[in-house]
Amino acid sequence: MKILVTGGLGYIGSHTVVQLLASDHEVVIVDNLSNTSEDVAQKLADITGKEINYEIVDLLDYDNLETIFKNNDFDGVIHFAGLKAVGESVELPLKYYDNNVTASINLLKLMEKYTVNKIIFSSSATVYGDPISVPIKEDFATFATNPYGQTKIMVENILADIAVANPEFSAIALRYFNPVGAHASGLIGENPKGIPNNLVPFIAQVATGERDHLRVWGNDYDTADGTGVRDYIHVEDLASGHIKALDYTNKFKGIEFINLGAGKGYSVLEVKDAFAKASNKEIPFEIYERRAGDIATSYANAEKALELLDWKVQYDLDIMCEDSWRFTDNLAEDQE
Ligand code: NAD
Ligand code: UFG
């Protein structure tokens, strides 16, 4: 299929592009480089041995986005582009509503105008807020605790409305749990700007010596060791979920919400220990107060993905840490 990949130079998008090209899909990437750089396109060419077709365009720029639709006959869209920093979304809500919701509306208007009826959307486990129980199933109530989460719920609702209005429409909102890891080549991975907010990128920078210790946000949760528990998923597994979801859009019309997670949780201290083993580095840590807005435990019920998409995770926590470490270590060496 010929696929438009928005945000395809970002962390999850880039790994998915590698797998799309390996599965003989044709890919056009659109990215505004707000959270990545053009070098990623070269890395993608190195990994795949294929020419990377990409356009530097902002989804908020309707006219330039339309030119891409005019010049290509797309079969479907994978929509990764968006801003994702929860804290920033609380400070700058309009930036998030604009970039995540208005931009998605632009994209969906053009899909309608050019009769592109398949979309895979990057949603998030954040739509479950503080769930009543774990594992989390797709039919749990959705609830946002911050503007970022609101934008994901809003776009899910917009997709559901279009699915009612257009009987040819086929949408899958993939609700990712906690993506970590990197491509085995060590060439692409997650390279956050500034101080990492997420656990694994932060630990990785402690391992390189860039930061002196891990701040563990609370050890008084109702979990086995008192630290927060999350469902970490290798970005390669996440990417393969998109390929399977794309295949599934050929078989159904309407909308589906599907969790992509391992179905199993690890605590902050377990992740720290796995990373120390993978990197062969010590990870000093200190216990801090809980981080505002954090919940104790989140992990997926991943049965729907298995049932509908024939998808389940292949990689365990040790490999996630080894691959994250290879990428971060390479970056640190490049910067020396
Ligand atoms: P990322 O920031 O690495 O990738 C997003 C890409 O979109 C970036 O390359 C950025 O430059 C681009 N982009 C942003 N706004 C754009 C716009 N208006 N026009 C064009 N390009 C734009 O993030 P990621 O981790 O790869 O996340 C991809 C998607 O998955 C996002 O929608 C995110 O909300 C969602 N998600 C991520 C996580 C996570 O923890 N990484 C978890 C759940 C959901
Ligand atoms: N943590 C620390 N120290 C850190 C960073 C994180 O102790 O420096 C802890 C957190 O308290 C939490 C766990 O590590 O218990 C995971 O935290 P992350 O920030 O890595 O991930 P979250 O589960 O908080 O949130 C992530 C994304 C959200 C997304 C959510 C669900 O950041 O955007 O997963 O997909 F919504």
Side-chain angles (χ1 to χ4, degrees):
M1 290 196 263
K2 184 162 189 177
I3 307 299
L4 173 65
V5 181
T6 77
L9 296 181
Y11 173 45
I12 304 168
S14 59
H15 291 80
T16 305
V17 166
V18 171
Q19 293 195 22
L20 283 166
L21 292 173
S23 312
D24 286 331
H25 291 292
E26 222 182 308
V27 170
V28 177
I29 295 171
V30 177
D31 202 299
N32 67 356
L33 303 185
S34 60
N35 198 33
T36 186
S37 70
E38 227 170 323
D39 304 351
V40 173
Q42 185 53 52
K43 302 271 165 65
L44 289 175
D46 293 346
I47 291 170
T48 60
K50 293 188 177 174
E51 196 187 326
I52 304 301
N53 190 349
Y54 68 98
E55 305 280 347
I56 311 297
V57 168
D58 194 312
L59 297 190
L60 288 168
D61 178 351
Y62 185 91
D63 293 339
N64 275 322
L65 189 59
E66 175 153 28
T67 306
I68 297 172
F69 275 84
K70 264 190 202 139
N71 293 340
N72 295 279
D73 190 6
F74 293 120
D75 299 297
V77 175
I78 307 186
H79 180 29
F80 294 103
L83 298 173
K84 60 170 182 175
V86 172
E88 186 189 47
S89 81
V90 176
E91 318 236 311
L92 301 171
L94 284 173
K95 182 176 172 186
Y96 275 69
Y97 287 114
D98 218 18
N99 199 80
N100 291 7
V101 182
T102 311
S104 297
I105 292 174
N106 280 348
L107 178 69
L108 288 160
K109 279 184 182 164
L110 287 166
M111 287 177 64
E112 183 177 80
K113 184 164 175 187
Y114 290 86
T115 328
V116 181
N117 281 318
K118 298 180 196 317
I119 184 166
I120 313 294
F121 171 61
S122 298
S123 189
S124 166
T126 197
V127 302
Y128 298 114
D130 191 353
I132 47 162
S133 62
V134 283
I136 301 169
K137 282 192 75 172
E138 287 85 351
D139 59 4
F140 280 22
T142 57
F143 179 74
T145 53
N146 53 65
Y148 167 71
Q150 288 287 10
T151 68
K152 292 296 175 194
I153 293 177
M154 288 167 85
V155 175
E156 284 195 353
N157 288 338
I158 293 168
L159 293 173
D161 290 341
I162 299 172
V164 171
N166 173 5
E168 293 304 313
F169 198 61
S170 178
I172 300 183
L174 295 174
R175 293 172 172 167
Y176 312 155
F177 280 68
N178 290 55
V180 297
H183 189 263
S185 64
L187 290 175
I188 53 172
E190 187 171 22
N191 182 18
K193 293 183 175 156
I195 302 174
N197 203 34
N198 294 118
L199 179 64
V200 170
F202 197 101
I203 295 178
Q205 292 190 1
V206 176
T208 61
E210 196 175 327
R211 314 215 170 261
D212 53 72
H213 69 278
L214 167 67
R215 297 169 299 178
V216 175
W217 302 125
N219 68 347
D220 57 352
Y221 285 105
D222 186 14
T223 60
D225 64 19
T227 65
V229 168
R230 296 290 183 276
D231 185 334
Y232 296 92
I233 169 172
H234 198 298
V235 65
E236 288 289 335
D237 277 328
L238 209 51
S240 74
H242 291 75
I243 312 298
K244 297 272 188 164
L246 201 55
D247 292 345
Y248 190 65
T249 59
N250 290 321
K251 291 190 249 169
F252 102 108
K253 300 205 193 310
I255 182 156
E256 290 288 357
F257 305 95
I258 303 179
N259 288 340
L260 290 186
K264 156 173 196 178
Y266 289 100
S267 73
V268 174
L269 296 180
E270 284 174 318
V271 175
K272 171 193 75 69
D273 290 342
F275 205 98
K277 189 172 93 181
S279 59
N280 204 18
K281 302 275 181 193
E282 248 187 81
I283 312 289
F285 70 99
E286 283 176 31
I287 307 294
Y288 285 64
E289 291 290 304
R290 292 179 180 195
R291 184 171 65 176
D294 271 358
I295 58 176
T297 304
S298 163
Y299 60 92
N301 174 318
E303 282 168 18
K304 189 170 177 183
L306 180 61
E307 202 183 302
L308 294 188
L309 308 181
D310 187 29
W311 173 93
K312 64 175 170 28
V313 297
Q314 306 290 331
Y315 298 102
D316 64 18
L317 183 64
D318 289 339
I319 298 180
M320 295 181 218
C321 292
E322 283 161 23
D323 289 342
S324 287
W325 171 240
R326 186 179 306 107
F327 173 71
T328 316
D329 196 28
N330 281 351
L331 265 187
E333 274 173 22
D334 286 352
Q335 279 158 9
E336 268 167 19

PDB file of all heavy atoms in Angstrom, residues 278-301:
ATOM      1  N   ALA A 278      22.279  -4.485  31.520  1.00  0.00           N
ATOM      2  CA  ALA A 278      22.478  -4.352  30.073  1.00  0.00           C
ATOM      3  C   ALA A 278      23.680  -3.463  29.751  1.00  0.00           C
ATOM      4  O   ALA A 278      24.400  -3.706  28.785  1.00  0.00           O
ATOM      5  CB  ALA A 278      21.219  -3.778  29.430  1.00  0.00           C
ATOM      6  N   SER A 279      23.879  -2.434  30.552  1.00  0.00           N
ATOM      7  CA  SER A 279      24.932  -1.455  30.241  1.00  0.00           C
ATOM      8  C   SER A 279      26.231  -1.759  30.984  1.00  0.00           C
ATOM      9  O   SER A 279      27.268  -1.170  30.696  1.00  0.00           O
ATOM     10  CB  SER A 279      24.461  -0.051  30.622  1.00  0.00           C
ATOM     11  OG  SER A 279      24.160   0.000  32.011  1.00  0.00           O
ATOM     12  N   ASN A 280      26.121  -2.655  31.954  1.00  0.00           N
ATOM     13  CA  ASN A 280      27.271  -2.944  32.808  1.00  0.00           C
ATOM     14  C   ASN A 280      27.777  -1.676  33.509  1.00  0.00           C
ATOM     15  O   ASN A 280      28.987  -1.458  33.642  1.00  0.00           O
ATOM     16  CB  ASN A 280      28.368  -3.601  31.959  1.00  0.00           C
ATOM     17  CG  ASN A 280      29.307  -4.427  32.812  1.00  0.00           C
ATOM     18  OD1 ASN A 280      28.957  -4.783  33.945  1.00  0.00           O
ATOM     19  ND2 ASN A 280      30.494  -4.695  32.303  1.00  0.00           N
ATOM     20  N   LYS A 281      26.837  -0.823  33.876  1.00  0.00           N
ATOM     21  CA  LYS A 281      27.165   0.423  34.586  1.00  0.00           C
ATOM     22  C   LYS A 281      26.366   0.458  35.876  1.00  0.00           C
ATOM     23  O   LYS A 281      25.279  -0.120  35.954  1.00  0.00           O
ATOM     24  CB  LYS A 281      26.732   1.652  33.761  1.00  0.00           C
ATOM     25  CG  LYS A 281      27.345   1.732  32.400  1.00  0.00           C
ATOM     26  CD  LYS A 281      28.689   2.397  32.470  1.00  0.00           C
ATOM     27  CE  LYS A 281      29.296   2.485  31.075  1.00  0.00           C
ATOM     28  NZ  LYS A 281      30.697   2.845  31.087  1.00  0.00           N
ATOM     29  N   GLU A 282      26.909   1.171  36.823  1.00  0.00           N
ATOM     30  CA  GLU A 282      26.132   1.377  38.048  1.00  0.00           C
ATOM     31  C   GLU A 282      25.106   2.482  37.805  1.00  0.00           C
ATOM     32  O   GLU A 282      25.423   3.463  37.113  1.00  0.00           O
ATOM     33  CB  GLU A 282      27.071   1.837  39.146  1.00  0.00           C
ATOM     34  CG  GLU A 282      27.231   0.802  40.235  1.00  0.00           C
ATOM     35  CD  GLU A 282      28.029   1.362  41.369  1.00  0.00           C
ATOM     36  OE1 GLU A 282      27.423   2.076  42.195  1.00  0.00           O
ATOM     37  OE2 GLU A 282      29.243   1.113  41.385  1.00  0.00           O
ATOM     38  N   ILE A 283      23.920   2.331  38.369  1.00  0.00           N
ATOM     39  CA  ILE A 283      22.913   3.400  38.237  1.00  0.00           C
ATOM     40  C   ILE A 283      22.593   3.903  39.639  1.00  0.00           C
ATOM     41  O   ILE A 283      21.685   3.372  40.300  1.00  0.00           O
ATOM     42  CB  ILE A 283      21.615   2.879  37.567  1.00  0.00           C
ATOM     43  CG1 ILE A 283      21.891   2.067  36.292  1.00  0.00           C
ATOM     44  CG2 ILE A 283      20.646   4.041  37.300  1.00  0.00           C
ATOM     45  CD1 ILE A 283      22.379   2.875  35.107  1.00  0.00           C
ATOM     46  N   PRO A 284      23.308   4.904  40.135  1.00  0.00           N
ATOM     47  CA  PRO A 284      22.976   5.447  41.449  1.00  0.00           C
ATOM     48  C   PRO A 284      21.563   6.041  41.429  1.00  0.00           C
ATOM     49  O   PRO A 284      21.126   6.558  40.394  1.00  0.00           O
ATOM     50  CB  PRO A 284      24.004   6.563  41.654  1.00  0.00           C
ATOM     51  CG  PRO A 284      25.000   6.414  40.569  1.00  0.00           C
ATOM     52  CD  PRO A 284      24.382   5.642  39.469  1.00  0.00           C
ATOM     53  N   PHE A 285      20.862   5.918  42.549  1.00  0.00           N
ATOM     54  CA  PHE A 285      19.507   6.471  42.579  1.00  0.00           C
ATOM     55  C   PHE A 285      19.189   7.012  43.964  1.00  0.00           C
ATOM     56  O   PHE A 285      19.811   6.630  44.954  1.00  0.00           O
ATOM     57  CB  PHE A 285      18.472   5.406  42.184  1.00  0.00           C
ATOM     58  CG  PHE A 285      18.296   4.317  43.209  1.00  0.00           C
ATOM     59  CD1 PHE A 285      17.230   4.362  44.112  1.00  0.00           C
ATOM     60  CD2 PHE A 285      19.186   3.255  43.284  1.00  0.00           C
ATOM     61  CE1 PHE A 285      17.056   3.352  45.062  1.00  0.00           C
ATOM     62  CE2 PHE A 285      19.024   2.248  44.245  1.00  0.00           C
ATOM     63  CZ  PHE A 285      17.966   2.294  45.131  1.00  0.00           C
ATOM     64  N   GLU A 286      18.223   7.928  44.004  1.00  0.00           N
ATOM     65  CA  GLU A 286      17.714   8.429  45.286  1.00  0.00           C
ATOM     66  C   GLU A 286      16.198   8.461  45.209  1.00  0.00           C
ATOM     67  O   GLU A 286      15.636   8.690  44.140  1.00  0.00           O
ATOM     68  CB  GLU A 286      18.223   9.850  45.554  1.00  0.00           C
ATOM     69  CG  GLU A 286      19.668   9.866  46.025  1.00  0.00           C
ATOM     70  CD  GLU A 286      20.210  11.278  46.198  1.00  0.00           C
ATOM     71  OE1 GLU A 286      19.418  12.192  46.541  1.00  0.00           O
ATOM     72  OE2 GLU A 286      21.411  11.452  45.964  1.00  0.00           O
ATOM     73  N   ILE A 287      15.581   8.261  46.370  1.00  0.00           N
ATOM     74  CA  ILE A 287      14.117   8.285  46.407  1.00  0.00           C
ATOM     75  C   ILE A 287      13.654   9.728  46.649  1.00  0.00           C
ATOM     76  O   ILE A 287      14.155  10.409  47.535  1.00  0.00           O
ATOM     77  CB  ILE A 287      13.584   7.383  47.549  1.00  0.00           C
ATOM     78  CG1 ILE A 287      14.162   5.957  47.447  1.00  0.00           C
ATOM     79  CG2 ILE A 287      12.051   7.386  47.550  1.00  0.00           C
ATOM     80  CD1 ILE A 287      13.744   5.152  46.245  1.00  0.00           C
ATOM     81  N   TYR A 288      12.704  10.167  45.811  1.00  0.00           N
ATOM     82  CA  TYR A 288      12.119  11.504  45.935  1.00  0.00           C
ATOM     83  C   TYR A 288      10.626  11.363  46.248  1.00  0.00           C
ATOM     84  O   TYR A 288      10.075  10.267  46.219  1.00  0.00           O
ATOM     85  CB  TYR A 288      12.293  12.283  44.627  1.00  0.00           C
ATOM     86  CG  TYR A 288      13.698  12.786  44.392  1.00  0.00           C
ATOM     87  CD1 TYR A 288      14.767  11.897  44.213  1.00  0.00           C
ATOM     88  CD2 TYR A 288      13.969  14.152  44.335  1.00  0.00           C
ATOM     89  CE1 TYR A 288      16.057  12.358  43.978  1.00  0.00           C
ATOM     90  CE2 TYR A 288      15.260  14.614  44.095  1.00  0.00           C
ATOM     91  CZ  TYR A 288      16.296  13.716  43.918  1.00  0.00           C
ATOM     92  OH  TYR A 288      17.568  14.176  43.686  1.00  0.00           O
ATOM     93  N   GLU A 289       9.986  12.513  46.458  1.00  0.00           N
ATOM     94  CA  GLU A 289       8.524  12.537  46.612  1.00  0.00           C
ATOM     95  C   GLU A 289       7.878  12.040  45.316  1.00  0.00           C
ATOM     96  O   GLU A 289       8.475  12.153  44.242  1.00  0.00           O
ATOM     97  CB  GLU A 289       8.054  13.990  46.813  1.00  0.00           C
ATOM     98  CG  GLU A 289       8.460  14.621  48.126  1.00  0.00           C
ATOM     99  CD  GLU A 289       7.719  14.009  49.285  1.00  0.00           C
ATOM    100  OE1 GLU A 289       6.471  14.017  49.247  1.00  0.00           O
ATOM    101  OE2 GLU A 289       8.383  13.503  50.218  1.00  0.00           O
ATOM    102  N   ARG A 290       6.634  11.578  45.418  1.00  0.00           N
ATOM    103  CA  ARG A 290       5.892  11.195  44.214  1.00  0.00           C
ATOM    104  C   ARG A 290       5.823  12.347  43.214  1.00  0.00           C
ATOM    105  O   ARG A 290       5.724  13.507  43.628  1.00  0.00           O
ATOM    106  CB  ARG A 290       4.455  10.820  44.580  1.00  0.00           C
ATOM    107  CG  ARG A 290       4.342   9.555  45.389  1.00  0.00           C
ATOM    108  CD  ARG A 290       2.881   9.312  45.698  1.00  0.00           C
ATOM    109  NE  ARG A 290       2.711   8.095  46.479  1.00  0.00           N
ATOM    110  CZ  ARG A 290       1.537   7.485  46.638  1.00  0.00           C
ATOM    111  NH1 ARG A 290       0.429   8.001  46.124  1.00  0.00           N
ATOM    112  NH2 ARG A 290       1.456   6.375  47.339  1.00  0.00           N
ATOM    113  N   ARG A 291       5.814  12.030  41.907  1.00  0.00           N
ATOM    114  CA  ARG A 291       5.639  13.059  40.875  1.00  0.00           C
ATOM    115  C   ARG A 291       4.141  13.310  40.716  1.00  0.00           C
ATOM    116  O   ARG A 291       3.351  12.359  40.637  1.00  0.00           O
ATOM    117  CB  ARG A 291       6.249  12.538  39.571  1.00  0.00           C
ATOM    118  CG  ARG A 291       6.234  13.508  38.424  1.00  0.00           C
ATOM    119  CD  ARG A 291       7.045  13.003  37.230  1.00  0.00           C
ATOM    120  NE  ARG A 291       6.482  11.809  36.616  1.00  0.00           N
ATOM    121  CZ  ARG A 291       6.964  11.228  35.515  1.00  0.00           C
ATOM    122  NH1 ARG A 291       8.059  11.716  34.944  1.00  0.00           N
ATOM    123  NH2 ARG A 291       6.396  10.162  35.018  1.00  0.00           N
ATOM    124  N   ALA A 292       3.766  14.597  40.646  1.00  0.00           N
ATOM    125  CA  ALA A 292       2.335  14.940  40.540  1.00  0.00           C
ATOM    126  C   ALA A 292       1.731  14.255  39.320  1.00  0.00           C
ATOM    127  O   ALA A 292       2.333  14.243  38.239  1.00  0.00           O
ATOM    128  CB  ALA A 292       2.177  16.447  40.413  1.00  0.00           C
ATOM    129  N   GLY A 293       0.549  13.691  39.502  1.00  0.00           N
ATOM    130  CA  GLY A 293      -0.173  13.104  38.370  1.00  0.00           C
ATOM    131  C   GLY A 293       0.166  11.647  38.101  1.00  0.00           C
ATOM    132  O   GLY A 293      -0.485  11.001  37.276  1.00  0.00           O
ATOM    133  N   ASP A 294       1.207  11.092  38.749  1.00  0.00           N
ATOM    134  CA  ASP A 294       1.573   9.692  38.499  1.00  0.00           C
ATOM    135  C   ASP A 294       0.585   8.744  39.173  1.00  0.00           C
ATOM    136  O   ASP A 294       0.025   9.057  40.224  1.00  0.00           O
ATOM    137  CB  ASP A 294       2.973   9.398  39.048  1.00  0.00           C
ATOM    138  CG  ASP A 294       4.061   9.693  38.023  1.00  0.00           C
ATOM    139  OD1 ASP A 294       3.721  10.082  36.889  1.00  0.00           O
ATOM    140  OD2 ASP A 294       5.250   9.536  38.367  1.00  0.00           O
ATOM    141  N   ILE A 295       0.423   7.568  38.570  1.00  0.00           N
ATOM    142  CA  ILE A 295      -0.403   6.538  39.196  1.00  0.00           C
ATOM    143  C   ILE A 295       0.501   5.381  39.625  1.00  0.00           C
ATOM    144  O   ILE A 295       1.660   5.309  39.208  1.00  0.00           O
ATOM    145  CB  ILE A 295      -1.515   6.050  38.238  1.00  0.00           C
ATOM    146  CG1 ILE A 295      -0.921   5.500  36.935  1.00  0.00           C
ATOM    147  CG2 ILE A 295      -2.486   7.180  37.943  1.00  0.00           C
ATOM    148  CD1 ILE A 295      -1.972   4.910  35.995  1.00  0.00           C
ATOM    149  N   ALA A 296      -0.035   4.489  40.463  1.00  0.00           N
ATOM    150  CA  ALA A 296       0.793   3.396  40.994  1.00  0.00           C
ATOM    151  C   ALA A 296       1.122   2.376  39.904  1.00  0.00           C
ATOM    152  O   ALA A 296       2.292   2.065  39.652  1.00  0.00           O
ATOM    153  CB  ALA A 296       0.053   2.717  42.149  1.00  0.00           C
ATOM    154  N   THR A 297       0.076   1.881  39.247  1.00  0.00           N
ATOM    155  CA  THR A 297       0.278   0.728  38.355  1.00  0.00           C
ATOM    156  C   THR A 297      -0.523   0.878  37.078  1.00  0.00           C
ATOM    157  O   THR A 297      -1.695   1.265  37.117  1.00  0.00           O
ATOM    158  CB  THR A 297      -0.193  -0.572  39.066  1.00  0.00           C
ATOM    159  OG1 THR A 297       0.498  -0.691  40.300  1.00  0.00           O
ATOM    160  CG2 THR A 297       0.080  -1.795  38.221  1.00  0.00           C
ATOM    161  N   SER A 298       0.125   0.582  35.959  1.00  0.00           N
ATOM    162  CA  SER A 298      -0.580   0.568  34.684  1.00  0.00           C
ATOM    163  C   SER A 298      -0.002  -0.550  33.826  1.00  0.00           C
ATOM    164  O   SER A 298       1.199  -0.588  33.584  1.00  0.00           O
ATOM    165  CB  SER A 298      -0.380   1.929  33.987  1.00  0.00           C
ATOM    166  OG  SER A 298      -0.710   1.837  32.621  1.00  0.00           O
ATOM    167  N   TYR A 299      -0.826  -1.494  33.449  1.00  0.00           N
ATOM    168  CA  TYR A 299      -0.413  -2.434  32.401  1.00  0.00           C
ATOM    169  C   TYR A 299      -1.639  -2.923  31.637  1.00  0.00           C
ATOM    170  O   TYR A 299      -2.769  -2.872  32.137  1.00  0.00           O
ATOM    171  CB  TYR A 299       0.464  -3.583  32.920  1.00  0.00           C
ATOM    172  CG  TYR A 299      -0.140  -4.478  33.968  1.00  0.00           C
ATOM    173  CD1 TYR A 299      -0.817  -5.636  33.628  1.00  0.00           C
ATOM    174  CD2 TYR A 299      -0.001  -4.166  35.317  1.00  0.00           C
ATOM    175  CE1 TYR A 299      -1.352  -6.467  34.598  1.00  0.00           C
ATOM    176  CE2 TYR A 299      -0.534  -4.994  36.302  1.00  0.00           C
ATOM    177  CZ  TYR A 299      -1.213  -6.137  35.925  1.00  0.00           C
ATOM    178  OH  TYR A 299      -1.746  -6.953  36.892  1.00  0.00           O
ATOM    179  N   ALA A 300      -1.377  -3.343  30.420  1.00  0.00           N
ATOM    180  CA  ALA A 300      -2.458  -3.625  29.475  1.00  0.00           C
ATOM    181  C   ALA A 300      -3.008  -5.027  29.614  1.00  0.00           C
ATOM    182  O   ALA A 300      -2.266  -5.958  29.942  1.00  0.00           O
ATOM    183  CB  ALA A 300      -1.924  -3.470  28.051  1.00  0.00           C
ATOM    184  N   ASN A 301      -4.266  -5.172  29.283  1.00  0.00           N
ATOM    185  CA  ASN A 301      -4.776  -6.457  28.833  1.00  0.00           C
ATOM    186  C   ASN A 301      -4.539  -6.411  27.315  1.00  0.00           C
ATOM    187  O   ASN A 301      -5.097  -5.555  26.623  1.00  0.00           O
ATOM    188  CB  ASN A 301      -6.266  -6.575  29.154  1.00  0.00           C
ATOM    189  CG  ASN A 301      -6.868  -7.847  28.562  1.00  0.00           C
ATOM    190  OD1 ASN A 301      -6.575  -8.200  27.432  1.00  0.00           O
ATOM    191  ND2 ASN A 301      -7.716  -8.512  29.328  1.00  0.00           N
TER     192      ASN A 301
END
